[in-house]
Amino acid sequence: ATNFQAGDLANNPFHPPHNWLTKFRDPGLVNINTIYSEKVWNAVLGGDPTAYPELGPTFSAVVDSRRGYGAPGGDALAADNNIPEYIANPFRAAGTGKQGPIPAIDNLVNNDIDCTLLRRNVATQQPLLGNNNGAAHNNSARNPYFRHRTLQRLSNTVTTRSNVYAMWITVGYFEVDANGLPGQELGADTGEIQRHRAFYIIDRSIPVGFEPGENHNVDRAILVRRFIE
């Protein structure tokens, strides 16, 4: 019982009921595949896992698992001349183990479980998001709640898909031959090529109606639109 006295609680990053969210935070899910900042990952966990291992894996461990091939060390932008991917083993749905981005690489043909948030840590071969804590107040060997609480938290804070995304559109004009095939771009011979560009931010979580040939309320899903001439 002494483990939950006020003095110890003040130094514990988890507050009853397990965690809390400030009223100034907009609720939403973070795409775990597009996190490139350690600060963002720490915010998702609710603290720095290097200081508080009970929070979950470090950002380096997540990056190494997400990369799916060599070059360990947690560098999210570590490049490989033989693999044109920063993320060759993204977090995705179960049942996609044989559908890796680069299936020719043997170690990327994973078991279905290793595609999901339940995947293994590439270094320890233990569950990546499982906790192994020995402290008396959160001993993971005594109660599965402490072992799996990172997974419980992340199920409410991360996703493997993005509902809000940016879109760039470029429109060019080309000559078309009698067979319907595009030729050179208009203005290429005089140096007066004209293209139209636009930028949008779309939130597909906003419920809108879609019907081919009809314009209902689809504009509601477009949060930002800019025309760049």
Side-chain angles (χ1 to χ4, degrees):
T2 58
N3 292 314
F4 292 93
Q5 290 181 354
D8 293 324
L9 182 61
N11 298 321
N12 192 322
F14 292 96
H15 298 267
H18 190 269
N19 58 50
W20 54 273
L21 295 176
T22 170
K23 66 175 65 176
F24 298 105
R25 174 176 174 176
D26 294 328
L29 301 181
V30 179
N31 189 336
I32 193 173
N33 291 316
T34 60
I35 297 177
Y36 282 89
S37 169
E38 184 177 11
K39 293 181 179 179
V40 174
W41 176 246
N42 292 350
V44 168
L45 291 183
D48 185 355
T50 59
Y52 303 100
E54 64 269 22
L55 291 175
T58 63
F59 182 61
S60 296
V62 173
V63 168
D64 291 342
S65 176
R66 193 175 63 183
R67 180 183 295 108
Y69 62 89
D75 184 357
L77 297 177
D80 189 313
N81 293 333
N82 299 315
I83 304 176
E85 288 281 352
Y86 290 125
I87 302 177
N89 185 32
F91 290 85
R92 51 200 189 276
T96 59
K98 307 302 181 183
Q99 301 174 10
I102 313 175
I105 301 177
D106 292 339
N107 65 334
L108 292 183
V109 181
N110 297 319
N111 297 322
D112 289 337
I113 194 68
D114 286 323
C115 301
T116 68
L117 294 175
L118 301 176
R119 63 176 58 190
R120 293 169 291 176
N121 186 313
V122 295
T124 65
Q125 293 299 301
Q126 298 296 319
L128 176 66
L129 301 175
N131 296 323
N132 187 15
N133 309 312
H137 68 281
N138 60 6
N139 192 321
S140 59
R142 295 182 178 178
N143 193 310
Y145 170 79
F146 294 122
R147 181 174 295 275
H148 303 302
R149 65 179 179 180
T150 298
L151 277 170
Q152 292 176 345
R153 177 185 176 89
L154 293 186
S155 66
N156 229 12
T157 57
V158 301
T159 178
T160 59
R161 298 177 297 177
S162 290
N163 283 323
V164 180
Y165 54 93
M167 177 183 294
W168 286 264
I169 297 177
T170 301
V171 178
Y173 302 93
F174 296 82
E175 297 177 352
V176 179
D177 62 21
N179 296 320
L181 299 177
Q184 72 173 6
E185 190 169 3
L186 293 180
D189 52 348
T190 62
E192 298 177 349
I193 294 177
Q194 187 177 33
R195 295 177 181 174
H196 302 285
R197 295 179 297 161
F199 170 77
Y200 302 90
I201 294 180
I202 298 174
D203 185 354
R204 63 180 182 182
S205 67
I206 298 176
V208 296
F210 173 76
E211 183 180 356
E214 298 292 336
N215 185 10
H216 296 294
N217 58 344
V218 294
D219 288 345
R220 290 185 55 206
I222 303 175
L223 304 183
V224 174
R225 65 181 73 205
R226 294 290 186 272
F227 296 101
I228 309 170
E229 294 294 336

